[in-house]
Amino acid sequence: MSAIAGEYNDQQVLLELVQATEQLKDRKERGVGKQNFYYGPALREVFSKAATMCPQVYNLLSQHFSLPSMRGTK
């Protein structure tokens, strides 16, 4: 698998998105909520820009990925 080989090490947003997705999966399996959920700095920056530039795009993304509330992106 190329991700394991480190081919995406320069794709910080992608890596943080995968990390957040895995974290959410783990929390669901354990029956734990999203309190203190960790979003990496690169991912937070993308979320913040999406929420500021086009809230509709942010809402669309939030239907497919675990995103912080728009208030939490600022």
Side-chain angles (χ1 to χ4, degrees), residues 19-31:
Q19 181 183 23
T21 302
E22 284 295 316
Q23 183 183 178
L24 182 62
K25 179 184 166 207
D26 177 60
R27 286 175 179 240
K28 282 184 179 179
E29 289 173 354
R30 293 184 295 133

Side-chain angles (χ1 to χ4, degrees), residues 55-72:
Q56 293 85 354
V57 169
Y58 187 86
N59 289 331
L60 178 65
L61 289 172
S62 70
Q63 293 173 14
H64 300 281
F65 302 106
S66 174
L67 304 184
S69 69
M70 276 211 260
R71 256 183 16 171

Side-chain angles (χ1 to χ4, degrees), residues 4-45:
I4 294 172
E7 290 183 31
Y8 297 106
N9 286 347
D10 61 338
Q11 302 289 325
Q12 199 60 33
V13 174
L14 175 64
L15 294 174
E16 290 177 10
L17 183 59
V18 170
Q19 181 183 23
T21 302
E22 284 295 316
Q23 183 183 178
L24 182 62
K25 179 184 166 207
D26 177 60
R27 286 175 179 240
K28 282 184 179 179
E29 289 173 354
R30 293 184 295 133
V32 178
K34 286 178 51 177
Q35 296 84 2
N36 298 316
F37 196 87
Y38 176 76
Y39 298 96
L43 202 51
R44 272 196 171 280
E45 182 180 347

